Amino acid sequence: MKLIVKWLLSAAALLAVAYLYQGVVVSSFTAALIAAFVIGLFNMVLRPVLVLLTLPVTVITLGLFLFVINALMFWAAASVLDGFYVRGFGAALLGSLIYSVFGIVIDSAIERLFFKK
């Protein structure tokens, strides 16, 4: 149940990103659901490999390179999907930052909702 709620809220967050920032376009809620799934899949599979491969750069930049990796995951998801479009790397960077902020809020809300004491 927790996973489904997080997926639905992530799709809503993606629609909110598209609403707030014109560099990201999402055509429908269905496209947002698919895009949220693919972004989550890329973050689960590809992101750890990229973080490991770019560890020296990440250390030198004091972790700021992780923003670039997040943007690449966001941009890669947009490049393989119809109905989800990002207008370039700069748009992917800003869109992924906004999406990450929404993700933090979603994680906090889910934590409070499902793990009340």
Side-chain angles (χ1 to χ4, degrees):
M1 186 69 177
K2 178 183 168 185
L3 185 63
I4 292 171
V5 170
K6 182 169 178 160
W7 180 38
L8 291 171
L9 290 174
S10 294
L14 200 54
L15 285 173
V17 170
Y19 179 76
L20 294 171
Y21 180 57
Q22 294 179 353
V24 176
V25 178
V26 180
S27 63
S28 67
F29 187 69
T30 305
L33 281 171
I34 295 168
F37 177 76
V38 170
I39 290 170
L41 188 66
F42 281 2
N43 281 333
M44 189 174 66
V45 176
L46 295 176
R47 189 174 189 274
V49 174
L50 286 176
V51 168
L52 187 63
L53 290 175
T54 61
L55 192 59
V57 177
T58 304
V59 169
I60 290 171
T61 61
L62 303 174
L64 292 176
F65 195 73
L66 294 175
F67 291 121
V68 173
I69 293 173
N70 285 341
L72 288 173
M73 296 297 100
F74 201 75
W75 200 15
S79 69
V80 298
L81 296 173
D82 290 331
F84 177 48
Y85 177 72
V86 178
R87 291 196 171 111
F89 182 76
L93 184 62
L94 191 55
S96 70
L97 285 172
I98 297 168
Y99 186 67
S100 295
V101 169
F102 280 123
I104 291 168
V105 172
I106 289 168
D107 287 341
S108 175
I110 286 177
E111 197 68 29
R112 289 175 186 239
L113 182 66
F114 284 98
F115 297 107
K116 288 193 270 187
K117 288 187 179 186

